[in-house]
Amino acid sequence: MSTVVLRQLTKTYPTGVTAVDHVDLTVADGEVMVLLGPTGCGKSTVLRLIAGLDPATSGHIEFGGAGVDDVPARDREVAMVFQDYGLYPHLTVAENIAFPLLNHHVEEAERDQRVREVADLLDLSDVLDKRPGRLSGGQRQRVAMARAIVRHPRVFLLDEPLSNLDAAVRESVRNHLADLIHRLDVATIYVTHDQTEAMCLGDRVAVMRQGRIEQIGTPEEIYSDPQCLFVAAFVGSPRMNLLQAAVHIEPGRRAVVDLGAQTLSLPWSNARARALATHHGARVTVGFRPDALVPTGDADGADLHGVVRLVEHRGHDALVHLETGSVPTPHLISQLELPDAHGELAHILGEEPPVAHPLRRRLARIVPQPRRADEPGRYALQPTYSPEAEPAREALGDVTARVPAASAPRVGETVSLRLDVDHLYLFDRAGDRIALPATSVALREAV
Ligand code: ADP
Ligand code: MG
């Protein structure tokens, strides 16, 4: 058992691709660290470097305080479970599990003993004589796990071990796995692109993008305190609403977040409004989760109004897609798997919507309009349009609210919503979160 430390770990492949870019990471003994990120962000490469299967270009790896940079893979005492298990079809389950012990000079009696132990732990005792071809997907996954842990590794690495399972069994296997890897009590690094797995399995989660770690924290921190736009958009399902906005400060009165056709207004008595003072005139991205929107019957006291475009019934709740006249982050970008250079994402999100960029074609439908001084959107920092006036557009809404199924509105209705200001996130043009003091004052509370 050992703590794993990565220092400025970097891997550039001969093709010129830098798959891992100056990664610093500490995984404590017994801790389960999840590497979460889109396909191609470098997760598997990190594991291969730790296992010693590939040499790092630069940087260092330590186990238990001692450098292992020069230790060959077979001597690192690392166990790795891959996506495709790699079981030997012609060997029985028992032989598959015992296989890693064969070239480690373990006595036969001890070998049988260890196989029985892990088979018991993983509920495989009844299938020890079967061949992998006769097992279910979940059983095969457990055999791969058993084979990995039979050697009592110092470090346990898992690379998307659930991705080959049917959705129907994935949840139960995942919960079983969570229980097992926590009981093993070794430094574990678990790779996935699935945020549900990450949230459920990780003591901490490191969110990766393009070879770098964007944020490390507990699942709770990653979800509720995202430090950048990428993490905010990647973590959470349904996705966080992300809208382009501009900040306008009326000193001593209020801070206005201009969304286009509508504005959010924070009274000056709210510490958050004052904290925004230095951002006067700045273009920002506003984020709030679908849960932060609560329908209200009080249209005048509402923070946002939207026309319902689509209602997605999900059983106990419903996702209501609304048109609010805002400028959303295009869905294509929300997948965040596009190969783009650092900073380009924030650039795309933060810029005014031109028509040229193919990713932003959706934004081109928004036609800037002159505004009258008495209109709510009089700041004219954002282009504006009226959702009611353009009912024929194919858009499915720019904002999503999660509501109880029983109170879901109908398509075409106009809904008034209150927005929980404690759960409002602002990001600057570089995509970094703008720090705002915590407050529990409602947006529209008296000035
Ligand atoms: P992930 O596991 O997050 O999907 P990988 O670590 O497999 O990501 O890959 C990260 C990047 O490195 C990708 O751009 C991928 O194409 C590239 N890559 C991975 N393995 C190799 C390799 N052996 N040679 C060249 N490029 C590679
Ligand atoms: Mg991978």
Side-chain angles (χ1 to χ4, degrees):
M1 302 207 288
S2 3
T3 296
V4 175
V5 179
L6 311 183
R7 292 188 203 283
Q8 295 288 295
L9 194 64
T10 299
K11 174 67 180 181
T12 302
Y13 284 110
T15 53
V17 174
T18 297
V20 178
D21 193 0
H22 295 89
V23 162
D24 285 311
L25 185 68
T26 299
V27 185
D29 200 7
E31 183 178 32
V32 179
M33 175 69 75
V34 173
L35 296 186
L36 172 68
T39 303
C41 73
K43 307 179 297 293
S44 296
T45 303
V46 171
L47 290 198
R48 293 177 59 79
L49 297 178
I50 296 172
L53 299 174
D54 261 339
T57 305
S58 61
H60 301 285
I61 303 174
E62 292 168 14
F63 293 173
V68 296
D69 298 328
D70 301 322
V71 178
R74 64 176 183 281
D75 296 330
R76 289 198 185 183
E77 297 174 67
V78 166
M80 190 153 167
V81 173
F82 298 92
Q83 187 172 331
D84 56 2
Y85 315 149
L87 302 178
Y88 300 107
H90 56 288
L91 300 184
T92 64
V93 167
E95 288 163 346
N96 263 287
I97 296 174
F99 197 83
L101 300 176
L102 293 181
N103 45 11
H104 279 78
H105 315 294
V106 179
E107 299 285 326
E108 193 175 339
E110 153 117 39
R111 206 161 67 213
D112 291 347
Q113 164 75 13
R114 286 221 215 157
V115 169
R116 274 198 305 277
E117 267 172 28
V118 294
D120 195 39
L121 185 67
L122 285 157
D123 204 13
L124 292 166
S125 304
D126 295 340
V127 296
L128 281 173
D129 295 329
K130 290 191 180 171
R131 289 180 205 264
R134 300 193 45 214
L135 305 180
S136 69
Q139 284 172 324
R140 278 203 286 273
Q141 202 277 331
R142 295 210 298 277
V143 176
M145 290 285 296
R147 192 180 55 180
I149 64 181
V150 74
R151 266 198 295 148
H152 300 169
R154 301 169 77 187
V155 177
F156 195 20
L157 308 175
L158 300 101
D159 195 349
E160 315 231 14
L162 301 183
S163 54
N164 279 349
L165 294 177
D166 291 345
V169 296
R170 198 175 299 151
E171 193 176 329
S172 73
V173 175
R174 185 186 70 210
N175 294 339
H176 195 98
L177 192 66
D179 177 54
L180 177 81
I181 58 182
H182 282 96
R183 267 191 293 151
L184 282 181
D185 206 26
V186 294
T188 299
I189 303 172
Y190 185 105
V191 158
T192 182
H193 66 274
D194 179 322
Q195 48 155 325
T196 313
E197 261 174 54
M199 295 310 208
C200 155
L201 283 155
D203 293 322
R204 286 191 298 159
V205 177
V207 184
M208 279 189 77
R209 172 171 182 251
Q210 296 185 342
R212 299 193 194 187
I213 292 181
E214 296 268 323
Q215 188 174 347
I216 303 178
T218 63
E220 167 64 18
E221 285 164 354
I222 294 288
Y223 180 82
S224 63
D225 199 16
Q227 294 302 308
C228 63
L229 201 48
F230 177 80
V231 173
F234 194 75
V235 176
S237 174
R239 193 177 79 101
M240 185 186 283
N241 293 298
L242 292 167
L243 306 173
Q244 295 190 47
V247 174
H248 184 88
I249 301 292
E250 296 173 12
R253 266 197 80 212
R254 58 182 178 165
V256 175
V257 177
D258 186 357
L259 298 175
Q262 303 187 51
T263 59
L264 301 172
S265 174
L266 283 78
W268 206 245
S269 58
N270 185 328
R272 294 188 149 208
R274 301 192 297 274
L276 278 173
T278 55
H279 296 272
H280 176 64
R283 198 163 279 284
V284 297
T285 302
V286 178
F288 48 90
R289 297 204 185 272
D291 299 88
L293 287 172
V294 181
T296 170
D298 169 22
D300 292 338
D303 299 306
L304 270 182
H305 304 274
V307 180
V308 178
R309 294 289 186 214
L310 178 76
V311 179
E312 227 180 293
H313 286 281
R314 309 198 305 171
H316 63 294
D317 63 11
L319 300 181
V320 182
H321 301 271
L322 303 143
E323 199 74 40
T324 64
S326 305
V327 183
T329 307
H331 192 72
L332 202 52
I333 292 175
S334 77
Q335 294 173 11
L336 297 170
E337 295 190 9
L338 304 170
D340 59 340
H342 276 288
E344 196 183 323
L345 176 70
H347 179 73
I348 291 169
L349 300 188
E351 285 297 324
E352 258 180 289
V355 289
H357 199 296
L359 297 178
R360 303 167 65 187
R361 224 168 264 144
R362 194 171 160 226
L363 302 183
R365 63 190 166 76
I366 296 164
V367 183
Q369 297 172 0
R371 295 186 221 187
R372 297 197 317 268
D374 57 340
E375 278 182 328
R378 65 180 179 278
Y379 303 95
L381 294 167
Q382 285 287 75
T384 179
Y385 73 96
S386 159
E388 281 99 341
E390 293 178 68
R393 287 178 318 105
E394 33 62 85
L396 291 181
D398 46 38
V399 161
T400 303
R402 195 163 77 90
V403 304
S407 60
R410 275 193 293 276
V411 171
E413 261 182 70
T414 296
V415 181
S416 304
L417 301 147
R418 289 194 70 102
L419 177 55
D420 181 351
V421 68
D422 262 346
H423 296 105
L424 193 66
Y425 305 90
L426 293 179
F427 302 91
D428 66 18
R429 291 179 75 149
D432 291 327
R433 173 104 163 266
I434 298 172
L436 294 177
T439 165
S440 54
V441 186
L443 273 180
R444 294 273 163 152
E445 222 136 273
V447 179

